[in-house]
Amino acid sequence: MSTEVATGHCLCGAIGFTTQGEPLSISLCHCESCRRHSGSVVAPFATFRRDAVRWHGAERGRYRSSPRVSRSFCGRCGSPLAYEHDDQPDEIDLYLGVFDDPARLPARQHVHYGERVAWFDTVDQTPRFRASSLAGEPAVCVGPAGSTVMPSSTGPKTE
């Protein structure tokens, strides 16, 4: 595992974390559930192996937002911290906004782009997937809406 270390904490500082190694992926999620949990029009995440994240401080609050998804947050200040899915038990998605240096973690893809808020987009040139890059479908485009459309037979290599 890489020795790359990143740190972060909630707004009040009651809960902190340290990650070890490179993230498995870095995504901007446009799904309704992540928008509601984050209070934003898009939720940015860095995915790490669960064993690469060390938590310290107070216990995280947890909310089961669907039968297989748990979202954690600080019970004191309310900062959203992580997304965990039962189908990926070895992974954890950490909200980019709670990292001490989120600029070190640029997005590599957009997921659930089919659910995006129509008036919002970003200028990055990363692939946008209608659902998830794991669904096996090609990206619907690379770059902002209306830019380069990916052919239906090929898609960008994703991690």
Side-chain angles (χ1 to χ4, degrees):
M1 180 177 286
S2 167
T3 59
E4 187 74 24
V5 173
T7 59
H9 59 85
C10 64
L11 180 62
C12 71
I15 301 174
F17 62 87
T18 301
T19 66
Q20 185 78 34
E22 292 293 319
L24 302 172
S25 67
I26 306 170
S27 306
L28 299 178
C29 184
H30 296 266
C31 83
E32 179 183 2
S33 189
C34 285
R35 290 195 322 260
R36 289 185 185 279
H37 188 247
S38 69
S40 184
V41 294
V42 67
F45 291 106
T47 304
F48 286 87
R49 291 193 48 79
R50 188 180 306 272
D51 62 7
V53 178
R54 298 287 178 253
W55 296 95
H56 56 84
E59 286 292 316
R60 292 179 288 153
R62 294 183 185 274
Y63 173 68
R64 186 70 71 177
S65 61
S66 68
R68 296 186 325 265
V69 172
S70 176
R71 297 172 184 274
S72 59
F73 56 92
C74 174
R76 181 174 172 198
C77 67
S79 293
L81 297 167
Y83 167 99
E84 298 169 76
H85 198 292
D86 292 348
D87 291 347
Q88 286 91 32
D90 297 331
E91 298 177 4
I92 185 169
D93 298 329
L94 303 174
Y95 280 93
L96 288 184
V98 295
F99 279 87
D100 293 330
D101 188 6
R104 289 179 44 203
L105 301 163
R108 298 178 190 159
Q109 65 182 359
H110 290 249
V111 295
H112 300 286
Y113 193 67
E115 296 181 47
R116 76 184 184 284
V117 173
W119 55 261
F120 178 81
D121 210 339
T122 60
V123 296
D124 61 87
Q125 295 299 311
T126 59
R128 279 122 166 98
F129 294 92
R130 185 171 317 284
S132 167
S133 60
L134 301 175
E137 296 178 5
V140 294
C141 62
V142 174
S147 62
T148 308
V149 175
M150 298 299 297
S152 59
S153 61
T154 62
K157 182 180 177 187
T158 60
E159 299 167 10

